[in-house]
Amino acid sequence: MLKYIVRRLILTVPILLGLSILVFLFVRALPGGPAIALLGERATQESVEQIEEELGLDRPLPVQYLSYLRNILSGDLGSSVSTRRPIVDELKQRFPATFELAAMAMLFAVAAGIPLGYVAAKRYQGVLDNVSLVASLIGISFPVFFLALLMKYVFAVKLGWLPTVGRIDVTRSLEHPTGFYLLDAIIAGDGEAFVDVLEHLIMPAIALGTIPLAIVARITRAAVLDVLGEDYVRTAKAKGLDPSVVDRRHVLRNAMLPVVTVIGLQTGLLLTGAVLTETVFSFPGLGSWILNAIRFRDYAVIQGGILFFAGMFIVVNLLVDISYAFLNPRIRYR
Amino acid sequence: MALLSVEDLEVRFFTRRATIHAVNGISFDLDAGETLGVVGESGCGKSVSSLAMLGILPKTGRITRGEVRFGDRDLVKLKDADLREIRGRDIGMVFQDPMTSLNPVLKVGDQVTEVLRKHLDMDKDGARREAVAVLDRVGIPHASERVYDYPHQFSGGMRQRVMIAMAIACRPKILIADEPTTALDVTIQAQILDLLKGLVKEEGMGLILITHDLGVVAGICERTHVMYAGRFVETAPTNELFDRPRHPYTLGLLRSVPRLDASQKEKLIPIPGAPPDLSILREGCSFAPRCPYATDESRERTPMLEGIDGPMHRVACWNPVPDAEVATVASSSLEASGS
């Protein structure tokens, strides 16, 4: 098992290297180049050359790449043009926000999706099965931003039950040692703040989690139906095991294999979905950050952000593969 | 009194399109220590009857008539919770394909211990020790280490041994083996049959062996029932059945067994036609359309099992195969396929 994990970890190195090359070239392939982006369209030739020399852009590409790589490895992603703050600092602040949001969204999707799919499969072709099929179809086809706006209108504007924007009430003072507000509230022992942060998370998490919920439910249903027809389930019944044991040990454990893969892929995709959700709810996470960077042509932020997103995607995939190996003994030693 | 007594068992499958008459009234007794063969081609209802006895029919299947008496209880009328106490404990079952009948994500040891823990109230360590002992008994080398392995790390024959270990772990009174050797190589088949034979002898278990392979019953079963279209058409002590098959279907089966000692020119004689559509229940013998001996009576009235050549040999046929015709063909088939 350890060997497998180490091998997978080593495999991520070339992926990350390739990724850094792509991001590096992407920025340099943009029309005008970084100097123009920094100085604007009407910059003089002189000032462009001066900036290029300052940034080392007049050197050969491989040399530039190596110094860029050295900077990344030492934890320096450059600075934002618009805020002048180091990108690493911004990441430290915004990543916890998106992480919290994505985790809540996935929690919602998994906690509701797996039981729904399971029940639908057990009541195959019954009323509940059909209802959940239609509902999940609607869930998948519903645009995230529209659902977000709709919820905001109903629950925040009309009913006034939930806050509309941000991560926390602006008037509340809470220390942020970790940047994960829920965790911060627990550390501070501030129950009210915890509830406040949670209330701010509910709508964005539901909006973001709806599509994964529908997908998780459908995959769970299909997987459980598949496994219910397997010979080893019949064997388990022939042993006289209680139905709950048959379902837990024999049906669900096998059905979880495809579900885990889908959960992993969806978690990766949540990061993209976060762009829309965070914008609608003015949630100060990575999504809204990158959106603003694109709006202001803040290339250093885009570059750093893409690298970070891609890195996250790789980490999530790695985690999925490792958990898959835990669940499925057949691939462990291959 | 018989250990297990099945009386007029009838099983139907209710699907949207049709009602399938899978088992149409079979009766038999099984005594302790007896080995019973049930032979028939695919789809004749032999597997379904065993699933029905244990109450693990697929969702669309239902027992519509009959009794399955085990001790003083009728398994058909038992609640599922009570039936679960009997399944795996008093009646063990081995299935056809060991590649798919074991749970791929559970360690082999855990699959054996779960049945011990459910039925015999063993603690974890006790069940583990017992599991090793049972796996050792069915001939799995290094059982104390192999309990930590997963099914995919075993060969087909070894997996079938694991299946057998699970089925006999609680020392059941009855073992039902449904095509236990069909998915295995010929050499492994012999080993598995020897193992079953040995276990039945040592434990005094009653064995019901379901198979389409006449060679298998010849080697192991004392009595054999021949099943066709959900009914028993002939039942006799195995030797007698092979020596003097009286039902045209049994004769047909024996004639279609390939033999190594047959000369090049000698051809197999297949049974013409195909088994009947079980969604339609007709009066008359269901083998009549394929039967060279069929009469008008065969087509109109359903024959019942009745004694012929003494009470032990019974046949459901209006026009049994004449003795003289039988002798030559059948006995040589036994030598070729049996023992």
PDB file of all heavy atoms in Angstrom, chain B residues 28-48:
ATOM      1  N   PHE B  28     -39.823 -34.643  -3.076  1.00  0.00           N
ATOM      2  CA  PHE B  28     -38.782 -35.633  -2.790  1.00  0.00           C
ATOM      3  C   PHE B  28     -38.427 -35.602  -1.320  1.00  0.00           C
ATOM      4  O   PHE B  28     -38.740 -34.637  -0.610  1.00  0.00           O
ATOM      5  CB  PHE B  28     -37.528 -35.390  -3.650  1.00  0.00           C
ATOM      6  CG  PHE B  28     -36.818 -34.096  -3.350  1.00  0.00           C
ATOM      7  CD1 PHE B  28     -35.813 -34.043  -2.387  1.00  0.00           C
ATOM      8  CD2 PHE B  28     -37.140 -32.943  -4.039  1.00  0.00           C
ATOM      9  CE1 PHE B  28     -35.152 -32.852  -2.118  1.00  0.00           C
ATOM     10  CE2 PHE B  28     -36.485 -31.748  -3.778  1.00  0.00           C
ATOM     11  CZ  PHE B  28     -35.486 -31.699  -2.811  1.00  0.00           C
ATOM     12  N   ASP B  29     -37.809 -36.660  -0.848  1.00  0.00           N
ATOM     13  CA  ASP B  29     -37.309 -36.724   0.521  1.00  0.00           C
ATOM     14  C   ASP B  29     -35.799 -36.813   0.477  1.00  0.00           C
ATOM     15  O   ASP B  29     -35.224 -37.395  -0.439  1.00  0.00           O
ATOM     16  CB  ASP B  29     -37.840 -37.976   1.238  1.00  0.00           C
ATOM     17  CG  ASP B  29     -39.311 -37.837   1.562  1.00  0.00           C
ATOM     18  OD1 ASP B  29     -39.817 -36.696   1.482  1.00  0.00           O
ATOM     19  OD2 ASP B  29     -39.946 -38.866   1.856  1.00  0.00           O
ATOM     20  N   LEU B  30     -35.175 -36.236   1.490  1.00  0.00           N
ATOM     21  CA  LEU B  30     -33.730 -36.389   1.631  1.00  0.00           C
ATOM     22  C   LEU B  30     -33.455 -36.893   3.041  1.00  0.00           C
ATOM     23  O   LEU B  30     -33.888 -36.288   4.021  1.00  0.00           O
ATOM     24  CB  LEU B  30     -33.032 -35.044   1.399  1.00  0.00           C
ATOM     25  CG  LEU B  30     -31.516 -35.046   1.580  1.00  0.00           C
ATOM     26  CD1 LEU B  30     -30.846 -35.714   0.398  1.00  0.00           C
ATOM     27  CD2 LEU B  30     -30.984 -33.637   1.762  1.00  0.00           C
ATOM     28  N   ASP B  31     -32.742 -38.021   3.145  1.00  0.00           N
ATOM     29  CA  ASP B  31     -32.380 -38.550   4.463  1.00  0.00           C
ATOM     30  C   ASP B  31     -30.991 -38.074   4.847  1.00  0.00           C
ATOM     31  O   ASP B  31     -30.200 -37.679   3.996  1.00  0.00           O
ATOM     32  CB  ASP B  31     -32.400 -40.080   4.434  1.00  0.00           C
ATOM     33  CG  ASP B  31     -33.804 -40.609   4.247  1.00  0.00           C
ATOM     34  OD1 ASP B  31     -34.733 -40.021   4.828  1.00  0.00           O
ATOM     35  OD2 ASP B  31     -33.983 -41.599   3.497  1.00  0.00           O
ATOM     36  N   ALA B  32     -30.724 -38.144   6.142  1.00  0.00           N
ATOM     37  CA  ALA B  32     -29.391 -37.794   6.610  1.00  0.00           C
ATOM     38  C   ALA B  32     -28.365 -38.702   5.938  1.00  0.00           C
ATOM     39  O   ALA B  32     -28.587 -39.902   5.814  1.00  0.00           O
ATOM     40  CB  ALA B  32     -29.313 -37.930   8.126  1.00  0.00           C
ATOM     41  N   GLY B  33     -27.264 -38.131   5.505  1.00  0.00           N
ATOM     42  CA  GLY B  33     -26.207 -38.923   4.898  1.00  0.00           C
ATOM     43  C   GLY B  33     -26.476 -39.355   3.472  1.00  0.00           C
ATOM     44  O   GLY B  33     -25.647 -39.992   2.845  1.00  0.00           O
ATOM     45  N   GLU B  34     -27.636 -38.994   2.958  1.00  0.00           N
ATOM     46  CA  GLU B  34     -27.969 -39.408   1.598  1.00  0.00           C
ATOM     47  C   GLU B  34     -27.450 -38.375   0.590  1.00  0.00           C
ATOM     48  O   GLU B  34     -27.412 -37.178   0.877  1.00  0.00           O
ATOM     49  CB  GLU B  34     -29.488 -39.527   1.449  1.00  0.00           C
ATOM     50  CG  GLU B  34     -29.906 -40.137   0.123  1.00  0.00           C
ATOM     51  CD  GLU B  34     -31.418 -40.114  -0.087  1.00  0.00           C
ATOM     52  OE1 GLU B  34     -32.106 -39.363   0.633  1.00  0.00           O
ATOM     53  OE2 GLU B  34     -31.897 -40.840  -0.950  1.00  0.00           O
ATOM     54  N   THR B  35     -27.021 -38.844  -0.572  1.00  0.00           N
ATOM     55  CA  THR B  35     -26.665 -37.912  -1.631  1.00  0.00           C
ATOM     56  C   THR B  35     -27.648 -38.066  -2.768  1.00  0.00           C
ATOM     57  O   THR B  35     -27.873 -39.155  -3.273  1.00  0.00           O
ATOM     58  CB  THR B  35     -25.249 -38.165  -2.171  1.00  0.00           C
ATOM     59  OG1 THR B  35     -25.175 -39.504  -2.628  1.00  0.00           O
ATOM     60  CG2 THR B  35     -24.212 -37.932  -1.108  1.00  0.00           C
ATOM     61  N   LEU B  36     -28.199 -36.939  -3.141  1.00  0.00           N
ATOM     62  CA  LEU B  36     -29.296 -36.921  -4.096  1.00  0.00           C
ATOM     63  C   LEU B  36     -28.872 -36.086  -5.295  1.00  0.00           C
ATOM     64  O   LEU B  36     -28.356 -34.982  -5.123  1.00  0.00           O
ATOM     65  CB  LEU B  36     -30.487 -36.255  -3.412  1.00  0.00           C
ATOM     66  CG  LEU B  36     -31.840 -36.474  -4.005  1.00  0.00           C
ATOM     67  CD1 LEU B  36     -32.281 -37.896  -3.684  1.00  0.00           C
ATOM     68  CD2 LEU B  36     -32.811 -35.489  -3.399  1.00  0.00           C
ATOM     69  N   GLY B  37     -29.060 -36.617  -6.486  1.00  0.00           N
ATOM     70  CA  GLY B  37     -28.727 -35.838  -7.672  1.00  0.00           C
ATOM     71  C   GLY B  37     -29.973 -35.291  -8.334  1.00  0.00           C
ATOM     72  O   GLY B  37     -31.001 -35.968  -8.367  1.00  0.00           O
ATOM     73  N   VAL B  38     -29.891 -34.082  -8.821  1.00  0.00           N
ATOM     74  CA  VAL B  38     -30.974 -33.537  -9.637  1.00  0.00           C
ATOM     75  C   VAL B  38     -30.347 -33.151 -10.973  1.00  0.00           C
ATOM     76  O   VAL B  38     -29.455 -32.309 -11.032  1.00  0.00           O
ATOM     77  CB  VAL B  38     -31.630 -32.302  -8.991  1.00  0.00           C
ATOM     78  CG1 VAL B  38     -32.716 -31.743  -9.893  1.00  0.00           C
ATOM     79  CG2 VAL B  38     -32.206 -32.663  -7.625  1.00  0.00           C
ATOM     80  N   VAL B  39     -30.798 -33.812 -12.040  1.00  0.00           N
ATOM     81  CA  VAL B  39     -30.188 -33.605 -13.347  1.00  0.00           C
ATOM     82  C   VAL B  39     -31.201 -32.993 -14.303  1.00  0.00           C
ATOM     83  O   VAL B  39     -32.377 -33.343 -14.282  1.00  0.00           O
ATOM     84  CB  VAL B  39     -29.716 -34.954 -13.946  1.00  0.00           C
ATOM     85  CG1 VAL B  39     -28.933 -34.727 -15.218  1.00  0.00           C
ATOM     86  CG2 VAL B  39     -28.877 -35.701 -12.947  1.00  0.00           C
ATOM     87  N   GLY B  40     -30.729 -32.132 -15.146  1.00  0.00           N
ATOM     88  CA  GLY B  40     -31.607 -31.574 -16.166  1.00  0.00           C
ATOM     89  C   GLY B  40     -30.854 -30.519 -16.935  1.00  0.00           C
ATOM     90  O   GLY B  40     -29.788 -30.078 -16.497  1.00  0.00           O
ATOM     91  N   GLU B  41     -31.402 -30.112 -18.087  1.00  0.00           N
ATOM     92  CA  GLU B  41     -30.678 -29.112 -18.855  1.00  0.00           C
ATOM     93  C   GLU B  41     -30.968 -27.707 -18.310  1.00  0.00           C
ATOM     94  O   GLU B  41     -31.838 -27.532 -17.451  1.00  0.00           O
ATOM     95  CB  GLU B  41     -31.015 -29.218 -20.343  1.00  0.00           C
ATOM     96  CG  GLU B  41     -32.496 -29.144 -20.656  1.00  0.00           C
ATOM     97  CD  GLU B  41     -32.806 -29.724 -22.039  1.00  0.00           C
ATOM     98  OE1 GLU B  41     -32.306 -29.156 -23.017  1.00  0.00           O
ATOM     99  OE2 GLU B  41     -33.565 -30.713 -22.127  1.00  0.00           O
ATOM    100  N   SER B  42     -30.237 -26.713 -18.812  1.00  0.00           N
ATOM    101  CA  SER B  42     -30.388 -25.338 -18.331  1.00  0.00           C
ATOM    102  C   SER B  42     -31.834 -24.879 -18.433  1.00  0.00           C
ATOM    103  O   SER B  42     -32.509 -25.157 -19.418  1.00  0.00           O
ATOM    104  CB  SER B  42     -29.536 -24.389 -19.176  1.00  0.00           C
ATOM    105  OG  SER B  42     -28.251 -24.906 -19.295  1.00  0.00           O
ATOM    106  N   GLY B  43     -32.308 -24.222 -17.399  1.00  0.00           N
ATOM    107  CA  GLY B  43     -33.645 -23.652 -17.451  1.00  0.00           C
ATOM    108  C   GLY B  43     -34.751 -24.625 -17.102  1.00  0.00           C
ATOM    109  O   GLY B  43     -35.924 -24.318 -17.259  1.00  0.00           O
ATOM    110  N   CYS B  44     -34.406 -25.823 -16.607  1.00  0.00           N
ATOM    111  CA  CYS B  44     -35.459 -26.788 -16.297  1.00  0.00           C
ATOM    112  C   CYS B  44     -36.025 -26.565 -14.897  1.00  0.00           C
ATOM    113  O   CYS B  44     -36.971 -27.217 -14.488  1.00  0.00           O
ATOM    114  CB  CYS B  44     -34.944 -28.215 -16.436  1.00  0.00           C
ATOM    115  SG  CYS B  44     -33.835 -28.693 -15.112  1.00  0.00           S
ATOM    116  N   GLY B  45     -35.426 -25.640 -14.130  1.00  0.00           N
ATOM    117  CA  GLY B  45     -35.988 -25.314 -12.822  1.00  0.00           C
ATOM    118  C   GLY B  45     -35.218 -25.901 -11.664  1.00  0.00           C
ATOM    119  O   GLY B  45     -35.620 -25.779 -10.517  1.00  0.00           O
ATOM    120  N   LYS B  46     -34.071 -26.536 -11.943  1.00  0.00           N
ATOM    121  CA  LYS B  46     -33.353 -27.195 -10.837  1.00  0.00           C
ATOM    122  C   LYS B  46     -32.735 -26.196  -9.857  1.00  0.00           C
ATOM    123  O   LYS B  46     -32.849 -26.360  -8.646  1.00  0.00           O
ATOM    124  CB  LYS B  46     -32.309 -28.186 -11.362  1.00  0.00           C
ATOM    125  CG  LYS B  46     -31.385 -27.669 -12.437  1.00  0.00           C
ATOM    126  CD  LYS B  46     -30.686 -28.833 -13.129  1.00  0.00           C
ATOM    127  CE  LYS B  46     -29.454 -28.413 -13.929  1.00  0.00           C
ATOM    128  NZ  LYS B  46     -29.633 -27.338 -14.892  1.00  0.00           N
ATOM    129  N   SER B  47     -32.132 -25.127 -10.391  1.00  0.00           N
ATOM    130  CA  SER B  47     -31.562 -24.126  -9.482  1.00  0.00           C
ATOM    131  C   SER B  47     -32.656 -23.367  -8.751  1.00  0.00           C
ATOM    132  O   SER B  47     -32.548 -23.082  -7.557  1.00  0.00           O
ATOM    133  CB  SER B  47     -30.713 -23.112 -10.256  1.00  0.00           C
ATOM    134  OG  SER B  47     -29.628 -23.763 -10.847  1.00  0.00           O
ATOM    135  N   VAL B  48     -33.712 -23.047  -9.494  1.00  0.00           N
ATOM    136  CA  VAL B  48     -34.813 -22.297  -8.892  1.00  0.00           C
ATOM    137  C   VAL B  48     -35.409 -23.048  -7.710  1.00  0.00           C
ATOM    138  O   VAL B  48     -35.711 -22.459  -6.665  1.00  0.00           O
ATOM    139  CB  VAL B  48     -35.900 -21.987  -9.954  1.00  0.00           C
ATOM    140  CG1 VAL B  48     -37.164 -21.458  -9.297  1.00  0.00           C
ATOM    141  CG2 VAL B  48     -35.372 -20.986 -10.959  1.00  0.00           C
TER     142      VAL B  48
END
